[in-house]
Amino acid sequence: MTHVKNTEAFSRLVGFCSGYGGTYNPGRPNLQIDALVNKVIETQSAMEHVKVVKAEYDNQVNLRKQTFDQLPRLVSSILRTLEASGAKPEKLDDARSFAHQLLGSSPKNRAPLPSEQANQMKKETNDRRALQLAYVSRADAFSRLVKAVNTEPLYAANESTLSTDGLNAKVQELNQVNRQVADARALWSKARIERNSVMYSSEVSMIKTAQATKKYVRAIFGLGSEQYALVKSLEFTNPKD
């Protein structure tokens, strides 16, 4: 909201200066009316760009969540199919371990873990839950589950989503949505840096231009002038973000 208030205050400042007519005639090029108007346009453009890339980032985050929300049911089906295929207990234990790391809890409607493995996982849950539930970690756990299935010669599934090709495609999809979120986040970060440069950090930033403009108005019209009174009340804040 601070950025919006700063932009609004700067637009009002430019409007006041334009209203002074020819008496407002600074020597510094960046304080002249045309330059001030261009700075308003540049600032508004930078603000709008942040909104656009933030919306795209939100879209990618939502897409990733929707994609990963499909995993619990799929994982449960994988475990059931693996069990029905006649895989050995050791292979089932490996698959269930990866499923537990992926979901952060035991998948619904599946056979319970061996007691010793369940106890170990319960012990580690509090320390590792955040890491296990991180999207990149979840994608990695699913990838390891799929590798376990791929190396089981007895595993057989006619359903396309449960076939080895379908599971490998799902691994690629999970990695892809993670990359898309990371790329969108990077673009959002870049847009915010560019906005902050335009508005606050560059030598000809909006806020520095506003401060210089107010000083010029005071110098030309005087401290007690009506012209300076108009711009004096305009406040500009340099936010941390």
Side-chain angles (χ1 to χ4, degrees):
M1 185 60 68
T2 300
H3 306 303
V4 174
K5 290 182 178 179
N6 284 338
T7 303
E8 180 183 3
F10 188 72
S11 296
R12 292 176 61 194
L13 174 64
V14 175
F16 289 146
C17 292
S18 297
Y20 298 151
T23 54
Y24 179 86
N25 187 29
R28 289 180 60 183
N30 66 306
L31 300 186
Q32 295 170 4
I33 294 299
D34 288 346
L36 294 180
V37 171
N38 288 335
K39 181 60 68 176
V40 171
I41 296 173
E42 183 184 14
T43 299
Q44 292 174 339
S45 177
M47 291 272 290
E48 186 63 26
H49 184 53
V50 171
K51 294 179 184 178
V52 170
V53 295
K54 176 59 164 60
E56 177 59 22
Y57 169 71
D58 290 340
N59 289 339
Q60 295 301 332
V61 168
N62 292 338
L63 175 61
R64 179 176 66 177
K65 183 180 184 301
Q66 293 164 6
T67 302
F68 275 82
D69 283 350
Q70 300 169 4
L71 291 183
R73 178 176 294 181
L74 177 59
V75 168
S76 181
S77 296
I78 293 171
L79 294 179
R80 288 300 186 188
T81 303
L82 186 63
E83 185 176 7
S85 297
K88 293 182 178 181
E90 294 80 6
K91 177 68 73 172
L92 291 174
D93 288 345
D94 289 343
R96 290 166 183 159
S97 176
F98 297 141
H100 184 89
Q101 295 175 34
L102 167 64
L103 302 176
S105 61
S106 300
K108 296 180 180 179
N109 301 322
R110 69 161 178 82
L113 293 168
S115 59
E116 65 275 14
Q117 191 173 22
N119 290 337
Q120 178 64 23
M121 288 185 175
K122 183 177 180 181
K123 179 178 180 297
E124 296 176 352
T125 294
N126 290 336
D127 295 335
R128 303 177 63 179
R129 182 180 298 275
L131 177 61
Q132 290 170 351
L133 294 183
Y135 283 107
V136 173
S137 296
R138 293 175 67 190
D140 179 68
F142 185 78
S143 176
R144 286 182 285 154
L145 172 60
V146 171
K147 284 183 173 63
V149 170
N150 287 341
T151 57
E152 175 51 61
L154 296 178
Y155 182 86
N158 291 326
E159 296 81 4
S160 59
T161 55
L162 294 175
S163 68
T164 54
D165 287 344
L167 296 180
N168 289 330
K170 178 60 69 173
V171 170
Q172 295 179 6
E173 182 183 6
L174 297 179
N175 291 332
Q176 177 65 23
V177 294
N178 274 331
R179 284 194 298 270
Q180 288 172 181
V181 170
D183 291 345
R185 184 187 294 114
L187 290 176
W188 180 33
S189 177
K190 182 174 181 290
R192 290 162 63 194
I193 291 173
E194 292 173 347
R195 176 205 61 198
N196 291 345
S197 176
V198 169
M199 296 184 69
Y200 309 112
S201 60
S202 73
E203 288 302 316
V204 290
S205 67
M206 180 205 72
I207 196 167
K208 292 177 182 177
T209 300
Q211 292 166 348
T213 300
K214 290 173 69 174
K215 290 178 181 178
Y216 176 78
V217 171
R218 175 178 175 176
I220 296 301
F221 297 104
L223 179 61
S225 66
E226 294 182 1
Q227 291 88 344
Y228 182 63
L230 289 174
V231 302
K232 180 181 179 181
S233 62
L234 297 176
E235 296 183 355
F236 297 89
T237 304
N238 196 339
K240 294 181 180 179
D241 184 13

